[in-house]
Structure formats: C-alpha cells, structure tokens
Amino acid sequence: MGLRRSLIAVASVAALCVASGAQAKTFKWAFQGDAQSLDPHTLNETFTLGFLSNVYEGLVRRGPDLQIEPSLAESWELLDPNHWRFTLRKGVKFHNGNDFNADDVVFTFDRIRMDGSDIKTKVAPDTKVVKVDDHTVDFITTKPNPIVYYEWDNVLIMDKEWSEEHNAAAPTDVTKDSENFAAFNANGTGPFTVESRETDVRTVFKPNADWWGEAKHNVTEGIFTPISSDATRVAALLSGEIDMMYPVPVQDIKRIDSNSGTVTLTGPELRTIFLGMDQSRDELLYSSVKGKNPLKDKRVREAFYKAIDIETIRKKIMRNLSTPSAIMVSPFLFSKSSKYERIGYDPEASKALLADAGYPDGFELGMDCPNNRYVNDEAICQAVVAMLAKVGVKVNLLAQPKAQYFKKVLGYDTSFYLLGWTPGSFDSWNVMYNLLSCRDDAVGRAKFNLGGYCNAELDKLTDEVLVETDPATRDSKIEAAYDMLAADIGYIPLHQQGLAWAKKDSVDLVQRADNQFMLHFVNVK
C-alpha cells in the first residue's frame, strides 16, 4: 500500500542540487516555536519529530514525495503473516563513533514503549522485537499488520551504549518536570549533528562528515531560531536575517511574494485541526455546571458544532488557506471522504439544542489552546469563543505556548481543546487508533484521545482495519467508523490547514505535504 497519486502531486519539490563543496553555506531558518526536547521519544509532534529527523534516523524514511524508503534498514520482508524481518545497514556509526547494530534497534523499540514515551502507539505493546544477529532484527506481531512499519520513519533510533552511559535509558515525560541527558544532547546517525543548543534561543547544526548516505545539500552550518511573533518572523526574512521561515501568516503571503528576493510556498497539508470535548468525566474540570458533564450529552456537542461558523474562520482568519473538513482525516488519505458533509452553521438551532438539553441560559466552560503551534491557532480559538458566546456558552480561553499547552492537555487536564493531527502512517487506522478509540492508558491506546470519546463498535472496527488486507473491505470498515463518529459527534473537525512557507529566492528546498522540514534537501546559491 502506498500514498495515492493525488497526495504525491501536492508535495512541492524544488530543484535539488548536489553540493559542490567549494564554498561554505550557512543556512538560517525560523519556526514559531522550538523543539520540545532533543529526546526523540518525548513528544509525538510533527515539528519536533521533523527537527530531530535531521539528527536521528529510523529504520525507514519518507522521501520528498512521502514514499517510504530504506534508511537504517536496507530491506525488509514478511516471512509469514505475523513475522517481519528487517536487514540493517552495515557500516553505520552514531555521531560519537559507536557502531549502529541490532542492539540499538531492540533498545529503541523497548524505550518507546516505556512510561513517559509519547510515541508508544507507533508499535503494538505485544510486538516482540528479536535480535537475530548484529544486522538482522525480527518483529513478531500477534496479528497480521500490513502497515506495521508505516510510522517507523519517526521511530528514531538511539544508541543503546550512549543512552545507558548517560542515564538516559528511559524517555523524558512531557507531562512531568522530568529531564535527562538526552533532552539536551543528541547522538544520532543522521546527516547533521547538533553543534550547540540553547533551548528556545538557538540550535546550530553541522553536517555529519561520516554519514552513510549521499549528501543532497550544500549546507555547512544550519542555524535554527524559534521566533514566536508572526510579525518578527516575517521581518527577519524580509530583512535578510534568515533564509527561510514557517508558517507564514496568511495575511503576509502577498507581501512576501511582492518583495524582491523572497517567495512563499503554499499547498494543502495533511493535518486536520479539530475541537475535542471531555466526554468521560462525570463532572467537567472547568465548568460552571456541577454534578454532571454537559458534554456527555450529544445535544450539547451538536449545539457546539452548529455554533461554529467555519466559513468565517476560513475567510477571515485563514484567508482561504484552509479546507473545511467533515471528518478527522485529510481527503487525500481516504477514498470515500467526499461523501461526508459538515453539520451546517445554525446558531438558532444551537440555542434550541442547548435549551432542550437543560441549558436554556447556556453555561461556562474552560478551553485550552496553543498559541504557537498551528496556523492562527489562538485566533481560531478566539473565534470559537465568540461564536459560542452568541449561543449562550461562555468560554474561558487559556492559550499558552506549546510547551505548557502539551504538558497540560497530554495529562488529560482539559475540558475543551483545540488540537491538530497528521496521521504518521498517512492512513485512517492511525486516526482511528490514536484519536477515535476508547482510551486504554495501560497500553497507550488512544493516548491522544484527550476527551475520552469511546464507542465499543468503533473500537472493534479499528482492530479489524489493522489486519484487513483487502483494500475495498478495509475502506468499507473505515467508512463505517467515520459514520459512527459523525453520528456520535465525538469531535468537531474544523479544517485541513494549508502549508505556507517562505524563503529567499537563493534557496532551494523541499516542501513536504506532512509539513516536516528536512535540512538535508537545502541548497543555498
């Protein structure tokens, strides 16, 4: 199974030049926030994983068109329906000179399933990871899984010896104030090393002269600076202080394109932005309603949905750089997505539903939102607050930088929240397992289902989709799951945000539809 041709078409690939090595090329870029940690298993977030994929590598990787390619594994084969064998690349060394081998793979897959790991859902907890020899590893599953490795580009392999030597054998937990050596130091096998790191200030990358792969860049130094202010980020590009930045505030696209020497790169992204609601607690943590949870009532959830004017968000806030969504996955990733339609904007019907549910005067509710993670995230939340106010629901918005936001919501300390999701496998099963399934903290199932939505029949379909090999049958089961979710109003999907990067004309790079930026493909003229 691979990505559909329509998805491949949206990956914007600039011309790639092989480095001549004749002249030093410093490349400076900025994003709206910093990586949460240098520990590659701390946070399952697109920016952090992409940032660290310049330093660490997985058994597989994604190319410019998002197709899966060999990386630290040269090849893999299915020995029987439950038994995969991966042949590892020989002669690979970590940045400190240690040899890469099967012990590191077994160690890493054990580490990502420990408490504190935020990427434990990328491998089933009952999967056996067995060293056959120094360059062969077997993965034995309890059930057939045709997409077992589809997310392993972001299972970044760590050096067992280095991790144990520095007391970093366990991952740091983003929901707690725990830190270890790996949070501030990196030792990967990738094309770049971390030369220096000042969290939230500056990170300097240098090319790995001993990298096993063929360099497709001419960068001799990469300098990353987080710039949270949209205006400051744009000004830094226009003044020539940096060579590339993202995301571009949608209102500044025309300004950057009309400026001599700079250009924006835009296109559809695979990320879905949505609203989640606590449907599991008997009483909400942050609400004026005591003794019960109004969000357990489908009428209230429907009222929230009908109160959202998605066209105003699209036109006024996103400046048309978004595609309203009726389901929790990009239409590029599901063949039957066109059948779904959003619940229409209808504030009067929303008020009637609230009254019917016993809240004629509305109620008060807390909302969590990041302010430096997604395109216009805080502005979207402010719009939702205003829209719900019109139907009588007073929302107290807490918008925070992503470090504080994720620490709070990943601890399930939320009643109502905005989140974005790109399925790492580019497949609906990822959405079903991580967001739509009943949460099971013991095995990490539905770890990112922050509101505790639960439908046992949808859970059953999730397990069936994982092992189904017939594409038509599989799509029918996925369709049934999305039908159930729509009937339950388990979430309120908003839109797929658009990609918007900006760069100097003197820079060639690759813009991938998953919004991961790879320094390895940068060439500075």
Side-chain angles (χ1 to χ4, degrees), residues 98-109:
N98 286 352
D99 291 328
F100 160 72
N101 56 43
D103 291 330
D104 303 308
V105 175
V106 174
F107 167 78
T108 294
F109 277 84

Side-chain angles (χ1 to χ4, degrees), residues 45-64:
E45 181 221 7
T46 297
F47 172 76
T48 295
L49 292 174
F51 183 86
L52 294 177
S53 291
N54 292 300
V55 178
Y56 289 94
E57 297 174 294
L59 295 179
V60 299
R61 67 186 181 191
R62 298 267 180 184

Side-chain angles (χ1 to χ4, degrees), residues 92-100 104 157-159 187-189:
V92 175
K93 290 186 179 294
F94 286 95
H95 296 157
N96 68 348
N98 286 352
D99 291 328
F100 160 72
D104 303 308
I157 304 299
M158 296 184 69
D159 179 6
N187 180 39
T189 60

Side-chain angles (χ1 to χ4, degrees), residues 28 183 234 303 386:
K28 299 178 181 180
V234 171

Side-chain angles (χ1 to χ4, degrees), residues 343-382:
I343 294 176
Y345 170 58
D346 191 338
E348 293 306 313
S350 176
K351 292 177 185 178
L353 283 164
L354 287 169
D356 191 45
Y359 306 100
D361 300 318
F363 57 91
E364 196 168 330
L365 179 72
M367 181 183 189
D368 291 289
C369 184
N371 60 17
N372 66 344
R373 177 59 195 95
Y374 311 114
V375 178
N376 293 332
D377 41 17
E378 184 174 7
I380 294 169
C381 289
Q382 290 170 340

